[in-house]
Structure formats: structure tokens, C-alpha cells
Amino acid sequence: MTAARPSTLGGRRLLGRIGARLAGAVFVLWAVATVTFFAIRLIPGDPAQAYLGGPGSQASTEALERVRVEYGLDQPLLVQYASQLGRLAQGDLGVSASQRTPVTQILGEQLGGTLLLAVLALIVAWLLALGLTIWSTRGGRVSSAIGSGVELVAASLPQFWLGTVLISLFSTWLGWLPPVSTGGAAGLVLPVLTLAIPVAGFLAQVMREPLLDAQSAPFAVSAAARGETRTGMLLRHGLRHASVPAVNLSGWAFGYLISGAVVVETIFARPGLGRTLLQAVTVRDVPVVTGVVLVSALAYVIVLLIADAAAELLDPRDSRRRVTS
């Protein structure tokens, strides 16, 4: 009985953490839905116009009034808000005001492209950050100074400026890559780099100090005493230690990549949630705006939970606590 008590307590703690994270995820989705609902209504104009062709439709007063009654836009704002929350709780995202198509169908057609872009950009950002961190921490003071400067510059680059520069360099001048999305692998290179380079700068910044600290940590000294080479210590121990804060940051990075898709998909004429959101905001298509934002927030929450679990598995201190328990 007493021997099983620690595992029982550990299971309860695990269930408690999972419950807290799920509750936090629900809260985030509710907050996103609430902010989106009221923010879209702060945009000047009549939301009923979206159902009749947009702000420039020149619809008659009678037609606008019929639309308001049909879609409940004549109700008080709080009544509309409660009605929308009720539909969202049932999984009903509604019908696009401008396209007259179910929002779930629109999201299904556009979600894959944006997720592919974000996932590839996150992978490339990690590869760039690892390469830069290893090189700058093993090459002496000059490499360290150069690496630190590259990290700072990369993390500070605006996406719209970086995308324009990459198009000018690799498309206009060198002619190596297409300036817009072509549907193939070549059309993904510049959008992925535009998203990945700033994120790589952030990841490299948070990995540099932990990797330097790991080289003089007790476990590194013990590994060296056992005959471990410097490269072996770096790959087997140092990177694992240094990657924990970067893994924690990856959840935020994925959200940054999803939001950055609005700019990147517009610059490179690439279909996806970003362009869909921009077009929906322009015509005040509330159901589409709400659906895109909620799906993006849900993807962010899921990746954040995965990153949190991965960080616990990578952290050597957590591993030792699990063993001793």
C-alpha cells in the first residue's frame, strides 16, 4: 500500500496538470471568440452589408433591414454575442456572409496550406538555429560575436521587408525561385524562409546561454572524465539541455508563424488562412473571421501542449525526478 502511494500521487498530479491545461485551452478559445466578436464590430460600417456584396454594394435600406432581421443583427449586441457562443459551443461555425458557403468547408480548403507553411517554417527555423548556435559556441570569441549579431538581426527582421528582399534577390536578380506560389515545392522556399529566419533568430538567442552553461555543468565534467569527446558531449548532453527553453518557445513560435501567414501569403499570393482572414476582415465577414481565428488559436493551443510535454521529456532534471519517484 505504501509503495504504491507515490505513483498514485504522481498520477493525480498528472491528471491535475492535464485538467488545468485543458481548462486553460477552453479559456483561451473563449477569450479569442469574445475578442474577435467585439473587435470586428468596432470596424466602421454595417455588418449586414457583407451579406449583400460588401461595403460597396450600395444595397437598399429595405434589403439591409431584411438581412438584419434574418441573421439576428437587429438584436442587442449581448444577445448576438450569447447566440454566437451557443453556436460555437455546438461546433457550428455558421455560413460565410460573403461566399454563402459553410465556414467549415472554407477552413477545410485553406487550413492545409497554412499548416504546411507553418510546420515547414518551424522545422527550418530549428535547423538554422541549431546550426548557428553550434557554430557560434564552438568557434571562439569571433564566431560568438558574429553569431550573436546574426541572431539579433534575424530576430528583428520584419516579415514584409524580408519577403520583399528575398523576392528581389532570388527571383528578380538571380531568377532561381518563383516570386509567387506555384503550387510546387519551389514556390514554398521563399515563403518558408520569410517565416523561418526571424524565428530562427529567437530560438538561437534562447539556446546560446544554456548551451554555454552546459559545457561547464557537472554532467559535462563527468562525461568528459569518462572519456566523452567534445562533439559527443555536445550532441548527447549539451543540445538536450540547451533545447529545453527553445522547445518551450516553440509553442509561441508556431502562433507567431500562423499570424505571420497573413503577411506572407499576401506577399507571395499563396492561398491559405492568412489571405482568407484578410479578405474576410475587408468585407466584414464575421463568421469567417471568427472561424479562422478560432482554428488558429486551437492549433496554437495544441502545439503549445505538445511543446510543454516535449520540454518535460527533454529536461534531464524531470527525468531524474521520474526515476527517483
Side-chain angles (χ1 to χ4, degrees):
M1 296 294 291
T2 56
R5 186 174 301 172
S7 60
T8 302
L9 293 176
R12 290 177 180 175
R13 293 194 194 100
L14 178 61
L15 290 176
R17 288 199 300 269
I18 293 174
R21 289 167 182 169
L22 291 177
V26 172
F27 174 79
V28 168
L29 294 177
W30 167 80
V32 167
T34 300
V35 171
T36 303
F37 176 86
F38 289 103
I40 197 69
R41 281 160 175 77
L42 292 177
I43 300 176
D46 189 347
Q49 290 181 338
Y51 293 88
L52 298 172
S57 62
Q58 298 182 348
S60 65
T61 304
E62 293 78 8
L64 289 172
E65 187 60 32
R66 285 197 300 270
V67 168
R68 293 190 193 99
V69 173
E70 180 180 356
Y71 292 97
L73 299 176
D74 60 331
Q75 299 293 324
L77 194 60
L78 291 180
V79 174
Q80 297 181 44
Y81 169 68
S83 177
Q84 176 166 302
L85 284 186
R87 292 194 300 270
L88 292 178
Q90 299 174 10
D92 181 11
L93 296 178
V95 177
S96 167
S98 58
Q99 303 180 44
R100 302 300 177 91
T101 304
V103 174
T104 52
Q105 179 179 335
I106 296 174
L107 296 180
E109 294 172 352
Q110 305 298 330
L111 179 61
T114 298
L115 288 181
L116 175 64
L117 184 63
V119 170
L120 288 178
L122 187 59
I123 294 172
V124 171
W126 261 95
L127 294 176
L128 292 175
L130 286 172
L132 180 60
T133 303
I134 293 173
W135 174 78
S136 62
T137 55
R138 287 174 57 87
R141 293 184 178 180
V142 175
S143 298
S144 180
I146 294 175
S148 179
V150 171
E151 294 165 4
L152 180 61
V153 171
S156 305
L157 291 176
Q159 291 173 339
F160 66 89
W161 180 86
L162 179 58
T164 304
V165 170
L166 291 178
I167 290 175
S168 301
L169 177 60
F170 292 102
S171 299
T172 305
W173 186 29
L174 297 175
W176 291 353
L177 296 167
V180 297
S181 177
T182 59
L188 273 170
V189 175
L190 294 184
V192 167
L193 287 177
T194 301
L195 283 173
I197 290 175
V199 174
F202 283 111
L203 294 177
Q205 285 179 322
V206 300
M207 282 194 288
R208 169 187 292 276
E209 290 301 324
L211 186 56
L212 290 173
D213 293 341
Q215 295 177 6
S216 58
F219 65 82
V221 176
S222 300
R226 293 193 303 268
E228 185 72 85
T229 63
R230 185 179 179 186
T231 301
M233 193 281 294
L234 174 68
L235 296 178
R236 297 180 184 179
H237 305 286
L239 285 180
R240 180 181 180 182
H241 179 79
S243 63
V244 172
V247 169
N248 284 323
L249 189 65
S250 293
W252 165 86
F254 190 80
Y256 172 85
L257 294 172
I258 291 291
S259 62
V262 177
V263 176
V264 172
E265 289 173 355
T266 302
I267 293 175
F268 294 96
R270 178 177 175 79
L273 291 181
R275 292 184 68 191
T276 301
L277 177 62
L278 183 62
Q279 295 167 0
V281 170
T282 303
V283 299
R284 294 176 60 92
D285 194 334
V286 177
V288 173
V289 173
T290 304
V292 171
V293 174
L294 279 177
V295 168
S296 301
L298 180 60
Y300 168 73
V301 168
I302 291 174
V303 172
L304 195 63
L305 293 175
I306 294 174
D308 190 15
E312 290 187 3
L313 293 174
L314 285 171
D315 193 340
R317 294 168 297 181
D318 287 343
S319 298
R320 285 195 295 269
R321 281 197 294 269
R322 283 191 293 269
V323 171
T324 55
S325 62

